[in-house]
Amino acid sequence: MKVLVAVKRVVDYNVKVRPKADGSGVELNNLKMSINPFCEIAVEEAVRLKENGVATEIVAVSIGPQQAQEQIRTSLALGADRGVLIKTDQDLEPLAVAKCLKAICDQESPDIVLMGKQSIDGDNNQTGQMLGALTGYPQGTFASELKVDGGKATVTREIDGGLQTVSLNLPAIVTTDLRLNEPRYASLPNIMKAKKKPLDETSPEELGVDVAPRVELLGVELPAERSAGIKVANVDELLDKLKNEAKVI
Amino acid sequence: MSILVVAEHDNSHLKAATLNAVTAALDIDSEITLLVAGSNCSEVASEAASVVGVGKVLLADNPAYADRLAENLAPLIAEIAPGYSHVLAPATTTGKNILPRAAALLDVQPISDIVSVESADTFKRPIYAGNVIATVKSADPIKVLTVRTTAFDAAPTEGGSASVEPLDITHNAGNSAFVGEELAVSERPELTSATVVISGGRGLASSENFQMLAKLADKLGGAIGASRAAVDAGFVPNDMQVGQTGKIVAPDLYIAVGISGAIQHLAGMKDSKVIVAINKDEEAPIFQVADYGLVADLFDVIPEMEQKL
Ligand SMILES: Cc1cc2nc3c(=O)[nH]c(=O)nc-3n(C[C@H](O)[C@H](O)[C@H](O)COP(=O)(O)OP(=O)(O)OC[C@H]3O[C@@H](n4cnc5c(N)ncnc54)[C@H](O)[C@@H]3O)c2cc1C
Ligand SMILES: Nc1ncnc2c1ncn2[C@@H]1O[C@H](COP(=O)(O)O)[C@@H](O)[C@H]1O
């Protein structure tokens, strides 16, 4: 069984980004870049499927600039078998990413596509669902548990009211939530080994994918600042302020 | 222009989040159609028909839509969407699950989590965990949007008189099935619409200690939330997580107890009207967004508050 994992290169989650001085976009120069945390969970889940004898091959795919190779190499060090970089210097929208991934699905015929539920830069939460539409595969989004057995994936999903379980025919798409697993660290020997694993390169053009943007970014701004608050000395003062100043209790 | 809003419901009642999406739709145009897709859900359609501002309700009552599986609902939405300029749904886990799938069938790039309508094609939305707000303009013929419910008031539920039109369209992909659900039952108000939210973090140290917060919440008529660390530690279930990747709340009063204030947590609560932080570390970043900060041990403060209220 083949598993495809989509990994995105994003600004590290510890970095607090700011708008560029002219407000045209987000200042990204010289920031620490990492694998999107949800994608790391997707890779870990794929590796566990392989360790449990369910998966036989893991292909890690990333769409992005040449440097996105780093995130593919990280995935290879964590246990993926080979990588595919779909190289583009354009910042692709989820629809275009989904179309690129659809083209890879056509080539690779995976049984399961594991993805993050959300990229922490654009906070879109769209690509897995859109790939589902384009491939016709069913989707198990926001997964906190995945079982694969007898041609089906059973996915426990984190929904607003609690948990929901669905059963999906394979091939299927699963997007990860934070509690699906805790990703391992790559060991030094595995990082060395990852350098020798195959990493193919292609491009949206080569895949025949139209990546023309549909949404224009007119600008970015900081959210409304909260005015500085005060420290209260004790519970009595707190309750007094909440009653008589803020009038919320 | 006419706008389709996908109603969220459980086959018996309309969910409140739908009402915020209706208000967002009314910011774009006045002609609103609500789609109620489910099974044995005619009661929901009647509720939908009385929401102020709704002109028409489409009722797709079919066993295939009983569990709102994206594989069946997305093609239904995509089939009727071309009659509308915009398709909206609340940015709940249901809306986020279904709408992008429908958008891809329409070859449209959807826009998630809008917090304001600038014009019919231009919207604001938070990115990077709410650290910046982007203004984006869609060039697609149909705009597909999910709505951050805390950014729009709820439309009134009584006073409208929309017509209900049955819709006889079946999509049953047959490749997915609902197995079961474990829904939290609580007497307390729902987290995302409560006027008071009391959230606990890793500082609470155990599931038992959350009972302290529960007592306080009961006194204040509030809901209980949590940081991811508290959920990860197993103190409380996942549906209580507030933050970038949990629920977004904006109550009148948010009390953060034993929560450090990581950006991912702030993303889910910093639009609250009044924020109180209780933390024993005076350097905790949560104090930077708190209107009232109390540097103290929560195990002293919470029982005292409860007793004095
Ligand atoms: C991709 C990603 C997504 C994330 N999404 C979310 C999200 O949606 N929501 C979320 O909350 N987090 C999220 N996180 C996690 C986030 O980064 C933080 O790790 C988390 O919010 C920390 O939770 P905490 O404040 O409870 O714990 P800590 O950071 O450990 O803080 C505990 C606090 O309790 C205080 N404390 C301890 N004991 C006491 C006491 N007796 N009295 C008073 N104070 C006390 C301490 O001083 C400390 O400030 C995400 C992380 C990642 C990587
Ligand atoms: N450029 C990309 N390259 C690889 N995978 C991506 C890319 N963009 C999005 N994805 C996948 O889609 C998931 C959800 O992203 P998004 O819809 O942007 O929130 C991510 O966690 C990745 O698994």
Side-chain angles (χ1 to χ4, degrees):
Chain A
M1 169 139 70
K2 193 192 273 187
V3 181
L4 198 72
V5 191
V7 294
K8 186 176 182 187
R9 174 181 171 86
V10 296
V11 173
D12 188 81
Y13 81 97
N14 280 312
V15 175
K16 191 168 173 187
V17 301
R18 295 190 60 83
K20 286 182 188 159
D22 64 0
S24 63
V26 171
E27 186 56 75
L28 294 177
N29 272 337
N30 299 321
L31 296 184
K32 181 176 179 214
M33 303 296 285
S34 299
I35 181 170
N36 184 43
F38 290 98
C39 300
E40 202 174 357
I41 295 171
V43 174
E44 174 67 33
E45 195 65 16
V47 174
R48 291 186 190 188
L49 286 175
K50 195 172 170 193
E51 287 169 347
N52 295 338
V54 177
T56 47
E57 189 185 20
I58 303 168
V59 184
V61 187
S62 190
I63 297 117
Q66 190 69 45
Q67 297 93 309
Q69 274 206 0
E70 294 164 21
Q71 282 64 45
I72 298 179
R73 289 284 173 212
T74 305
S75 311
L76 296 174
L78 291 170
D81 298 294
R82 59 191 172 87
V84 179
L85 171 66
I86 304 175
K87 201 175 135 187
T88 170
D89 288 323
Q90 205 182 317
D91 196 9
L92 296 196
E93 294 168 357
L95 178 62
V97 172
K99 287 180 180 177
C100 290
L101 292 173
K102 158 77 164 77
I104 299 295
C105 284
D106 289 344
Q107 291 177 359
E108 299 276 352
S109 303
D111 300 279
I112 296 184
V113 184
L114 274 162
M115 312 172 62
K117 82 162 176 183
Q118 167 174 350
S119 32
I120 60 160
D121 48 4
D123 283 332
N124 298 305
N125 197 331
Q126 297 173 339
T127 310
Q129 298 86 313
M130 297 179 91
L131 180 61
L134 301 179
T135 54
Y137 301 171
Q139 67 191 46
T141 52
F142 329 144
S144 64
E145 202 183 331
L146 168 65
K147 285 193 211 118
V148 183
D149 193 17
K152 290 195 195 270
T154 306
V155 182
T156 304
R157 308 180 51 231
E158 298 203 353
I159 60 169
D160 286 335
L163 297 172
Q164 180 190 68
T165 306
V166 292
S167 166
L168 312 173
N169 295 356
L170 300 184
I173 292 167
V174 176
T175 77
T176 62
D177 217 316
L178 293 171
R179 272 165 292 278
L180 183 60
N181 60 50
E182 217 168 293
R184 70 195 66 190
Y185 292 95
S187 67
L188 197 57
N190 285 343
I191 293 172
M192 300 312 289
K193 264 191 244 159
K195 294 191 173 147
K196 298 202 191 74
K197 290 186 179 174
L199 201 172
D200 293 332
E201 218 177 277
T202 178
S203 67
E205 298 73 42
E206 250 176 63
L207 295 170
V209 175
D210 168 18
V211 295
R214 311 296 186 80
V215 174
E216 187 189 349
L217 179 64
L218 298 183
V220 301
E221 61 198 301
L222 287 173
E225 283 286 327
R226 292 192 71 92
S227 48
I230 57 159
K231 292 256 168 68
V232 292
N234 51 43
V235 169
D236 290 328
E237 193 190 345
L238 176 62
L239 294 180
D240 175 60
K241 294 280 184 198
L242 293 178
K243 269 186 203 133
N244 302 316
E245 190 174 87
K247 298 188 171 39
V248 285
I249 59 170
Chain B
M1 272 193 303
S2 170
I3 301 178
L4 183 70
V5 177
V6 182
E8 183 152 341
H9 64 90
D10 59 4
N11 289 326
S12 46
H13 292 291
L14 194 65
K15 293 250 168 96
T18 312
L19 306 171
N20 310 94
V22 167
T23 300
L26 286 167
D27 280 356
I28 304 170
D29 196 75
S30 58
E31 214 178 298
I32 313 287
T33 298
L34 263 189
L35 170 66
V36 174
S39 179
N40 290 321
C41 57
S42 54
E43 255 175 74
V44 180
S46 342
E47 282 184 17
S50 66
V51 174
V52 177
V54 175
K56 191 177 12 173
V57 174
L58 295 177
L59 173 59
D61 198 328
N62 192 304
Y65 308 136
D67 305 302
R68 279 157 299 284
L69 293 170
E71 294 76 15
N72 299 348
L73 276 187
L76 169 68
I77 294 166
E79 185 173 333
I80 58 177
Y84 301 87
S85 58
H86 298 71
V87 179
L88 275 67
T92 54
T93 48
T94 310
K96 289 178 189 166
N97 187 43
I98 297 167
L99 228 56
R101 191 166 176 121
L105 294 173
L106 292 163
D107 196 31
V108 162
Q109 171 57 49
I111 299 177
S112 299
D113 256 316
I114 63 162
V115 294
S116 87
V117 173
E118 303 297 299
S119 72
D121 61 6
T122 304
F123 311 94
K124 290 195 179 191
R125 61 177 302 260
I127 53 175
Y128 289 91
N131 277 318
V132 287
I133 307 290
T135 306
V136 294
K137 181 174 172 177
S138 165
D140 280 316
I142 305 171
K143 280 54 171 166
V144 178
L145 315 166
T146 60
V147 175
R148 179 166 288 199
T149 55
T150 51
F152 298 89
D153 292 335
T157 51
E158 296 296 336
S161 56
S163 59
V164 177
E165 217 174 87
L167 202 61
D168 191 18
I169 303 175
T170 309
H171 285 279
N172 195 347
N175 53 6
S176 62
F178 173 84
V179 176
E181 232 162 34
E182 265 176 63
L183 298 183
V185 269
S186 163
E187 302 288 298
R188 295 197 183 85
E190 209 199 325
L191 187 54
T192 49
S193 52
T195 52
V196 176
V197 173
I198 304 175
S199 286
R202 200 196 308 270
L204 264 290
S206 77
S207 159
E208 292 72 46
N209 291 336
F210 262 83
Q211 287 310 315
M212 291 190 337
L213 294 193
K215 283 194 201 152
L216 189 58
D218 289 342
K219 284 244 163 118
L220 292 169
I224 301 182
S227 71
R228 177 190 166 195
V231 175
D232 278 355
F235 303 164
V236 290
N238 67 280
D239 54 281
M240 287 170 60
Q241 180 182 318
V242 170
Q244 179 189 17
T245 53
K247 287 195 176 125
I248 309 290
V249 302
D252 292 340
L253 174 60
Y254 188 90
I255 307 181
V257 184
I259 291 179
S260 62
I263 48 176
Q264 292 87 4
H265 187 78
L266 302 187
M269 46 63 78
K270 70 177 155 59
D271 290 329
S272 305
K273 231 180 251 154
V274 174
I275 297 175
V276 172
I278 298 165
N279 197 306
K280 67 178 179 189
D281 172 12
E282 65 174 331
E283 302 293 322
I286 189 76
F287 287 121
Q288 289 162 21
V289 300
D291 300 284
Y292 303 109
L294 179 53
V295 181
D297 192 309
L298 70 93
F299 294 104
D300 300 329
V301 167
I302 300 303
E304 186 183 342
M305 274 179 85
E306 196 233 320
Q307 187 222 324
K308 288 184 171 163
L309 272 166

